[in-house]
Each structure stands twice: as C-alpha cells, then as structure tokens.
Amino acid sequence: MKKIHNYLGLVLCIGALFFSSCETTELDLTENPNQLRPDQSSADLFLNSIQVDFATFAEVMGDNGGELVRIENMNGRSYPNVNAYSPTNLNQEWNIAYQADAGEALPTGLEINGILADIRAMAPEAEANELFHHTAIGQFIEAYTIVTLVDYFGDIPYSQAIQANAETPVLNPALDPGSSVYDAALALLDASIANFNLDPVTEPENDFFYGGNTGRWIDAANTLKMKIHLQRRLVDPTAVASFNAIVASGDYIQDSAGDLQFQWGTNAVQPDVRHPKYANNYIASGGQTYMSNWLMNLMDTTGDPRIRYYFYRQVNAVPGAEVPADEETIACSLEPVPQHYTDGGFTFCVLPNGYWGRDHGQNAGIPPDGFTRTVYGVYPAGGQFDDSSFEGISIGGGGAGAGITPILMSSWVDFMLAEVAMLGSADAGRPFILNGITQSVTKVAAFGSLDSGADLSFAPTQGAIDNHLNNIGAAFDAADDTGKWNILAEQYFISLFGNGTDGYNFYRRAGFPTTLQPNLEPDPGAFVRSLNYPADFANNNSSVDPKPNLEVQVFWDNNPAAPTFPIAN
C-alpha cells in the first residue's frame, strides 16, 4: 500500500527541515487550504514546493521499480492484477508530477499543485527578476521528472500539458513520443547548466539538495544526461559516445560529496518530515512493509557489509528455518515448495538468521507480525541499526526518520561506467563494480551514527569489507560473461536500495540478473514493461486510450517481448 504525507506544513516551514520541530505559517487560502495559487506565492515558495514534491516523486516512483526487480517486496501473484499498478493507484504519482485538480482528493487526502505546474507558475517571476538559479533547479527537476515518467509510462503528454500561462490551454493534451520527451529533457539540462553559470539577482532562499553549490548542480545535470544516454543506448547509435564524452569532461558526480539526495528530518507532527518509509513502519503496531527475501538472501549469503544498515531484524529466528514452522505467523512455512522454485534452486518462504520477509508476489493475508518481521534499517530510512539486539522497533527509535531519498549517487555512476565498459568486454567492468561497491559501503556505513543507541561494535570492520570485495572480485574473475553481467546487476541493485527506478530500467535494458527470484505464481503473466496510464488521466482525457496491457514497451526498450525477455517474470 502506498502512502505519502501531507506536505503543506513541510513546504511552509521547510527551512527548519533538519531540526526537531518547526512552526507552521498561517496562510489565508480561501479556495483550497492545501494549495498555493500563483498570486499567493513567490518564486522561493514555489521552489520549496517543487523540491519537496520532487523528493516525494522520486521516492514513490522508485518503490514501483524496486518492487518489480525484487529490491523491494512486491505483493501480488499476477502482474495484471497487482493492485499497486492499477490505474487508480497510479493517480498519486501522476498528480505529483503534473497537477492535482483544485479540490481533488488524492488517495491519501494529499492535495498539491504538482511539480510541472509549480515550475510553470514560478517561471514568470523567475525570468522577470533574473532568478537564474531558481530557473536552473526547476529545469533540472523537470528533466528528471519527464524522463522518469517516460521510463515508467512510455509516451506522455508534455508539449501541450501544463500550459499555465497560455490564454487557451489544451484541455486534452495529446501524448508526445517518449523519444521526443527525452530530447526535451536533454535540452532542459543544457539550459539548466547555462543558467547555473549565470549570476542571479538573488539566490534561492532554500536549496535542499546542494545548499547553493552550483558546481554540484552542474555535475548532477551532466550525470542525468549520462543516465539518459545510457537508457536509450539500444535505439541511439550515438548514445555511448555521448556518454563517454561527459565522462571525459570529468564534470559529473564522482564521489559521495556530490550525491543528489533529499534529507528528511525527525519531526513527527505538524508537519511529519520523517522519511516516508520510517513514518510508515516505525509505528505503534510495528512494521507495515515486508522486505524482499531475494535481496536479503543475496546480501546474507554473500556476507554483504551493508546488510545491518539496510535491515533491522526484530527476532533472531524465523518459523520454518531455525524454529518450528508456524501456520499462524508464516502460513507458507507449512506449504510445499513450488516446483519452479525447486527447479531453479530459489529460496522459498523463510530465510535463516532472523531475516523475516516475503517472496516475490506473495500476497497472503497479514498476520500479527509487526514486531517480528524484518523492517527498514538506518539506511536509507533513518531507522535502527541491526546490532543483534532483537528488541523490536520503537517509535522514534534509531535515526528517528532522518534518512535520505537517494536520487543520483556516485556509486550508481560506477555501475553505469561498468555497463558501458562491459559492452566492449565483460572483463572490463571489474574495477568499476568494485569501486561502486566501495563507494556504496562507505556511504551506507556513515549512517550508523544516526542510531545513537546502537552497539556499533557490530558494524563491519575494514577487514570484513575488504574480504567482501575480494570475494566479489574472485567470483567475477571465475565467472563466464553471463555470470559477470549477473554480478554487475546484483551489485548494482544492492546499491540502489531506496530508489529502484534505475534497477527497473537496467533489467529491461540489459536483461540481467538472471538470478532474480521468480514470481510465486508459476504463470503470473508477462513482466511489466510499462505501467498503466493512471485513471485520472486516461478517464478524463479524450485524446488518450487506456493501455491494452502492461506489456507495452517504452521507446528505448526494443528487446524481445515476453516471455523471451526478461528472463524472470
């Protein structure tokens, strides 16, 4: 179940995001108490709203992709019937990106203007007053937003959409081809870089990502361009050369100091500024989200040093593993292993060592296991570090929600570099993969200090980290080309924990890893190649027809149709 918070108060007191409390500001919004109108706001307030909505958009879209590629757990045994991907349940993502109608109640009661609508509303003041850096941040966020929409939905309305200043706006905007939207995103990023290189009359009051460091923004813009080129490499013969040209320039995210991420706070009420995954799980009834058995098993069996940061185990044993099976707490612990799991040698239902999650597609009822299932840890959600205390979670425990939403990370760039290198020779990816793991582990390990009550003597030693890297390197050296691509994909997916969008893209683009745990249902239907158009859009736009199925491929995905590709559905 998707859930995001009401961010009006967050936008109003956003300057105090990193503190434990803040006071909301009273505004006389007579038409809609949860929406800002252009005549009631300023470029700074619009930019505040744009940045917060951008973080929320990256978070919820990343969850969709993460579920499909087993970074997160997916609940639903038949892809066409997975509730999370129904047109109604996708309204939220769409409205965050575009524009919620006045008075429209989103699924959680949240009402917002939308990223693109706010960017359009901010533009006149920003342009008139030479607020070049306001404009530049908006252009970057717009580029990321429209590219992500294409990656998930395919063709989208863009050139005719959100015409805030038009005398006669198009009420039923037509779809733009995904390829043209990608071109528009690249043009936006070029314009963004140009604007960052100009001296504005006034800097943004709040830059929640880089604190006014325009050099970091330029690196992020170039990194997003690298991502765009890589994503369309199957259909653009110049994509790899364009990617390599940016690498040669050196102007891209190369270390964690340049990571594009949104920092959440610890305040729980009026407004709740905690990481959404923390706010939705560290509650009185315990954890609400199941962790992915595939990811936990991969990390546990390979001795991954990030596992204690990603996951917090509330118990030290799982029924059906170290202790007797229990139908009441884990019903599948008494069920036979599905034949397709046996044939592929996949784990089923339960994992050892207290890692209590669910298999891909498991949609059984929810038992009273809120204080026994494994939950999000200190990275990226700001939860508890796993120090083998097995004491259960507590409201306000761990990092109290002061986690991050990762958007573009230096470790991810290393895996992008590995992919390009391996297009020439699979062996060439080795140094980039190991560097990506190193950067990810270093980043993640720093989050242990957020949990002041944890026993950090359980944190991995440098020796353990070095041993893990040596093991991955040895496995890579011993593998054939398919095995090398599997290692790249597996390690990339582990580093993407917290935002699975690039994992979903990679899986459709490259078809790896072939080691993904299959859906629990033997015949769940074809793998989701793009999401349904949201109901609010498809039902109210006469120029658009609903998609026939989830097998429609986005423009850059020219791989064979299912079931030939991808390998596991």
Side-chain angles (χ1 to χ4, degrees), residues 50-347:
I50 290 163
Q51 292 179 88
V52 176
D53 288 345
F54 175 48
T56 306
F57 176 76
E59 182 75 27
V60 296
M61 294 305 290
D63 284 347
N64 285 325
E67 290 173 6
L68 286 164
V69 294
R70 289 64 159 174
I71 297 171
E72 302 281 352
N73 173 254
M74 188 191 80
N75 176 12
R77 295 181 66 162
S78 172
Y79 284 114
N81 297 316
V82 174
N83 192 43
Y85 312 132
S86 71
T88 300
N89 279 342
L90 293 168
N91 288 334
Q92 187 181 86
E93 288 90 326
W94 195 263
N95 290 328
I96 293 170
Y98 283 100
Q99 180 176 13
D101 294 332
E104 176 191 359
L106 299 184
T108 60
L110 174 67
E111 298 186 40
I112 55 176
N113 292 331
I115 294 169
L116 299 181
D118 275 347
I119 290 172
R120 298 292 182 273
M122 179 181 71
E125 180 183 350
E127 293 171 4
N129 294 297
E130 298 184 347
L131 304 178
F132 301 121
H133 294 172
H134 289 73
T135 298
I137 293 173
Q139 289 168 325
F140 175 93
I141 290 175
E142 180 172 338
Y144 182 100
T145 300
I146 61 177
V147 162
T148 304
L149 288 170
V150 169
D151 291 341
Y152 280 97
F153 295 105
D155 298 343
I156 61 166
Y158 182 63
S159 60
Q160 296 180 349
I162 314 296
Q163 298 175 317
N165 304 313
E167 292 184 4
T168 56
V170 178
L171 299 180
N172 295 288
L175 297 174
D176 289 73
S179 58
S180 69
V181 176
Y182 260 51
D183 290 338
L186 288 170
L188 279 168
L189 291 170
D190 286 338
S192 176
I193 292 170
N195 278 313
F196 276 124
N197 281 314
L198 297 175
D199 293 326
V201 172
T202 303
E203 293 285 354
E205 181 178 343
N206 295 300
D207 174 355
F208 301 131
F209 294 95
Y210 288 124
N213 188 324
T214 56
R216 295 295 187 193
W217 273 113
I218 291 171
D219 287 348
N222 281 319
T223 304
L224 182 52
K225 290 171 68 175
M226 290 168 63
K227 170 179 166 173
I228 290 171
H229 292 311
L230 188 57
Q231 283 173 190
R232 65 179 188 182
R233 68 172 174 80
L234 298 177
V235 297
D236 178 4
T238 69
V240 172
S242 298
F243 178 98
N244 286 330
I246 297 174
V247 175
S249 76
D251 296 327
Y252 62 96
I253 298 172
Q254 298 188 52
D255 54 56
S256 62
D259 286 348
L260 182 68
Q261 61 191 41
F262 187 82
Q263 176 70 57
W264 300 92
T266 60
N267 198 71
V269 293
Q270 297 182 346
D272 187 343
V273 300
R274 300 171 299 170
H275 193 290
K277 288 181 171 64
Y278 184 96
N280 295 339
N281 284 276
Y282 283 72
I283 60 178
S285 56
Q288 302 297 298
T289 306
Y290 285 105
M291 301 297 103
S292 163
N293 272 351
W294 177 80
L295 184 63
M296 290 194 295
N297 181 66
L298 173 62
M299 297 180 73
D300 187 31
T301 56
T302 57
D304 195 292
R306 292 162 287 190
I307 195 167
R308 289 182 180 269
Y309 301 89
Y310 283 14
F311 308 112
Y312 181 79
R313 293 169 296 169
Q314 300 191 82
V315 295
N316 63 359
V318 179
E322 299 94 339
V323 294
D326 183 350
E327 184 176 14
E328 181 179 355
T329 56
I330 302 183
C332 61
S333 64
L334 291 172
E335 296 175 358
V337 180
Q339 188 61 47
H340 62 301
Y341 273 44
T342 298
D343 294 342
F346 297 102
T347 60

Side-chain angles (χ1 to χ4, degrees), residues 444-476:
V444 169
F447 277 67
S449 62
L450 287 179
D451 186 352
S452 59
D455 180 356
L456 293 182
S457 68
F458 284 86
T461 64
Q462 187 59 51
I465 294 171
D466 292 342
N467 186 59
H468 177 66
L469 289 168
N470 290 336
N471 288 340
I472 296 296
F476 187 89

